Every structure is written in C-alpha cells, then in structure tokens.
Amino acid sequence: MPTPQEPLPSDPPAALITGANLKHPLDALFVNAPLRDYAERPRVNDFTLPVLGMGYLATYAASQGFNVGVLDAEAHGLGINHTIDIVNQAAPRWSATTASRPASWRRSRPCSAGTCSSPTGRAPSR
C-alpha cells in the first residue's frame, strides 16, 4: 500500500506535474527520474535534493514562451513504469530527463558492497 507521499498510479499527470498549464499542449516536460524503481522497493525516507539545473532550464524555456512542466519522480517516490505512464499521458512535444538515473544506481549498488570495479580494474577508494 503506498504511503501518503507516494501517488497512486491512477493519479492524473496534473497532480504531479508542476509549472505547466495543462489546459494547453505541453511543449516540454523535464523529468527528474527516480534513483531506483520505487514500485519494487518503496522509499523509506523523504530526503531529496532539487535538480537545480533542470529547474533553470525549465524556467528559461517558460520565459521564452514555452509551456513547460517539471515532473520530480524522485521526490514523489514514483516507480519507473509509473513515471513513463505519466510522461505518455502528458504527451509533451519534448521530454528531457536526468541522464544519470536509474542506471547509475544500478551500477553503484555493487560499489556499496565493495565489489565494483573501475576502468583500472581496482575498486574505487572510499
């Protein structure tokens, strides 16, 4: 059962997308992808940091007349498929996402156990 911070998959995109006028076609949707798939393993805390660069880009695009929105899937604790569904329902002309998620989480998971390797073949120092 989702906690109050985790929206249900049936929640409309308007409840999760900020900054856009969803009465008009969406030009761009900036997506802060989840660090991991919260549908598989729910969040246990609410510690998130804003993605300032994405916010700056969205603000600039809006100032140039584009209808833009931001979906912070990490802050909402969304699963990957739920995030994809929201983007598809919103149907923006363009979508942009953070490039380092969730793949970086999958790569870094072995590092926390000390079993990852670097290009040199040695585990990174801590």
Side-chain angles (χ1 to χ4, degrees), residues 30 32 49-61 70 96 98:
F30 293 87
N32 182 25
L49 296 173
V51 182
L52 293 177
M54 185 175 284
Y56 290 145
L57 291 171
T59 301
Y60 180 76
V70 175
T98 47

Side-chain angles (χ1 to χ4, degrees), residues 44-67:
V44 294
N45 63 49
D46 60 355
F47 301 122
T48 62
L49 296 173
V51 182
L52 293 177
M54 185 175 284
Y56 290 145
L57 291 171
T59 301
Y60 180 76
S63 76
Q64 298 302 304
F66 292 99
N67 184 23

Side-chain angles (χ1 to χ4, degrees), residues 5-45:
Q5 76 183 34
E6 298 169 1
L8 297 172
S10 60
D11 285 345
L16 302 171
I17 296 172
T18 59
N21 181 349
L22 296 179
K23 294 179 182 178
H24 298 284
L26 191 58
D27 291 313
L29 180 59
F30 293 87
V31 182
N32 182 25
L35 285 171
R36 65 171 181 248
D37 193 344
Y38 294 114
E40 293 177 6
R41 195 171 95 193
R43 288 178 64 147
V44 294
N45 63 49

Side-chain angles (χ1 to χ4, degrees), residues 33-36 98-111:
L35 285 171
R36 65 171 181 248
T98 47
S100 61
R101 299 174 188 190
S104 64
W105 179 79
R106 287 192 182 106
R107 279 194 312 266
S108 65
R109 188 170 43 184
C111 292

